[in-house]
Amino acid sequence: MIHYKFNNPNPTFPLNNTKTKKMTTLALLSKAKTLRPNSNFFTLLRCMSNVPEDTVYGGPKNQNPNQRVTLTHLRQKHRKAQPITVVTAYDYPSAVHLDTAGIDVCLVGDSASMVVHGHDTTLPISLDEMLVHCRAVARGAQRPLLVGDLPFGTYESSASQAVDTAVRVLKEGGMDAIKLEGGSPSRISAAKAIVEAGIAVMGHVGLTPQAISVLGGFRPQGKNVASAVKVVETAMALQEAGCFSVVLECVPPPVAAATTSALRIPTIGIGAGPFCSGQVLVYHDLLGMLQHPHHAKVTPKFCKQFAYVGDVINKALLEYREEVTNGSFPGPAHSPYKIGGSDVKDFLNELQKLGLEKAASAAAEAAEKTSKAESPGGGSLASD
């Protein structure tokens, strides 16, 4: 351990005096404001156990929009009736985009099974596959609250199984919270057990894709009285279990409005109209990435496409194929690595010594073409 010795400017006030220690610490902290972040002084401060860490003991601070979104932040927005923005994403690049855009919550959804892996439902994706997506998103998103879906088959057996899976999503996936679907008594018990284990839970009612075998497919819910009441009651049960928020998927706007009004926690709508506390869409859907007719089955009717990125991607790929085919790519601008003329000659000599005459000719021809492309007026190996 490194020990630091201070010169006491006033021996009549020994440094072991509590008040003097506090004054000295304040003076040191004041001095820190004038120093560079890589100064040795900061190394000293980190070694001083009597200097409180701002992140734990610094007291309440104003919310910085560049800091990580927390449940407290979401509660504040909900209390002020400020809409909460949520986007479902599955990888590092999309997470970076969400970060840059200032999205509040990034949901790593089991819909990756359909959108990324090409399955017809969300059921096939495994926990290990979900964890790969979670880790990728966690590396890219520094600001949003990160919520990971519990995939089908990983939490239904018992509350103990649910807690074990949720723990893995946080510890191995880098998530801040988890989401689970449904509102049966076993799901309510699972949500309660996970919350009691110290893990934040987001509920999900209405159309719950993991239950399509019971629902008879991807069918909207709440379209009759019994179903509408069930949506409200299930959401309230999830709230009482300790959930910090509830997703309402594919329910009529009046049902969503009633549920939102009945709850003390935020509702996040997807295909549920404008009367929720926030909205969620899938990254690929809102960007219009899935333009091929084959993907029509996984692009829901309620999704607004805020861009047509799929068309841009298709056009770029066609141009790439064309330029590679006709030889215009890569040109000089995209062939940045050079070898000097004298080195080319020596290289050709070495190839000839090795008996690689054909390779030497290919290299000479490439050097000649590169030189002419870079200097249209001339230039050759002979002139070097």
Side-chain angles (χ1 to χ4, degrees):
M1 178 179 289
I2 301 174
H3 295 275
Y4 295 88
K5 182 178 180 180
F6 295 95
N7 293 322
N8 188 352
N10 192 342
T12 60
F13 293 95
L15 286 178
N16 60 358
N17 177 277
T18 302
K19 182 177 180 180
T20 307
K21 274 187 176 181
K22 184 177 181 180
M23 293 174 62
T24 303
T25 300
L26 291 174
L28 291 171
L29 291 174
S30 176
K31 180 181 178 182
K33 297 179 181 179
T34 66
L35 297 177
R36 297 188 306 273
N38 59 354
S39 167
N40 290 334
F41 185 78
F42 285 89
T43 303
L44 162 64
L45 283 181
R46 286 196 297 271
C47 295
M48 295 176 64
S49 61
N50 63 324
V51 178
E53 295 183 28
D54 289 342
T55 54
V56 180
Y57 301 107
K61 293 180 175 60
N62 293 329
Q63 181 71 38
N64 184 334
N66 296 319
Q67 291 177 343
R68 193 82 166 192
V69 174
T70 65
L71 296 188
T72 299
H73 182 207
L74 296 185
R75 292 186 187 108
Q76 289 172 348
K77 294 196 75 170
H78 181 234
R79 189 163 54 248
K80 297 175 182 178
Q82 297 174 347
I84 297 168
T85 55
V86 186
V87 173
T88 298
Y90 315 106
D91 58 20
Y92 176 84
S94 57
V96 172
H97 287 157
L98 266 60
D99 212 45
T100 304
I103 299 299
D104 295 318
V105 180
C106 177
L107 171 63
V108 184
D110 60 354
S111 50
S113 177
M114 302 172 69
V115 179
V116 177
H117 296 274
H119 296 296
D120 290 330
T121 72
T122 64
L123 304 183
I125 196 166
S126 69
L127 177 59
D128 286 338
E129 288 172 321
M130 282 296 299
L131 290 174
V132 171
H133 290 293
C134 288
R135 287 192 289 268
V137 167
R139 286 190 286 267
Q142 302 302 311
R143 180 184 181 275
L145 182 81
L146 303 180
V147 181
D149 255 338
L150 299 191
F152 179 73
T154 65
Y155 64 100
E156 297 88 347
S157 297
S158 66
S160 176
Q161 183 201 31
V163 171
D164 290 344
T165 301
V167 167
R168 288 193 65 189
V169 171
L170 264 66
K171 292 187 69 173
E172 300 177 36
M175 297 290 98
D176 302 311
I178 65 94
K179 180 174 78 66
L180 54 75
E181 292 186 10
S184 65
S186 63
R187 303 295 173 88
I188 300 298
S189 297
K192 188 173 187 295
I194 294 170
V195 171
E196 289 177 350
I199 298 172
V201 177
M202 175 182 280
H204 185 155
V205 301
L207 169 58
T208 48
Q210 293 179 8
I212 58 170
S213 62
V214 175
L215 299 177
F218 294 103
R219 298 182 181 279
Q221 302 297 299
K223 296 181 68 176
N224 57 54
V225 174
S227 179
V229 171
K230 183 179 179 181
V231 169
V232 177
E233 291 180 339
T234 302
M236 293 177 68
L238 287 167
Q239 174 183 258
E240 295 309 308
C243 291
F244 71 88
S245 179
V246 175
V247 171
L248 304 178
E249 181 168 359
C250 295
V251 300
V255 178
T259 306
T260 301
S261 177
L263 297 181
R264 302 182 304 275
I265 59 176
T267 57
I268 306 299
I270 178 166
F275 305 109
C276 298
S277 312
Q279 298 291 329
V280 58
L281 285 177
V282 172
Y283 176 87
H284 296 68
D285 292 344
L286 73 89
L287 292 179
M289 291 184 70
L290 305 180
Q291 294 295 310
H292 193 279
H294 170 72
H295 296 294
K297 60 185 178 182
V298 296
T299 303
K301 291 186 293 184
F302 56 74
C303 179
K304 177 180 178 179
Q305 295 184 336
F306 290 82
Y308 298 96
V309 175
D311 289 338
V312 176
I313 292 173
N314 291 337
K315 182 175 182 292
L317 290 172
L318 289 171
E319 290 180 2
Y320 167 72
R321 185 189 70 180
E322 177 64 23
E323 290 193 11
V324 170
T325 301
N326 64 30
S328 61
F329 177 83
H334 298 98
S335 303
Y337 311 111
K338 312 299 180 186
I339 180 172
S342 59
D343 288 325
V344 170
K345 292 179 181 178
D346 293 340
F347 178 49
L348 298 180
N349 290 333
E350 292 299 321
L351 290 174
Q352 290 169 347
K353 289 178 184 178
L354 293 170
L356 300 174
E357 296 291 342
K358 188 175 180 179
S361 297
E365 182 180 357
E368 188 74 21
K369 288 182 178 179
T370 300
S371 178
K372 288 181 178 179
E374 293 174 348
S375 305
S380 67
L381 290 177
S383 65
D384 191 353

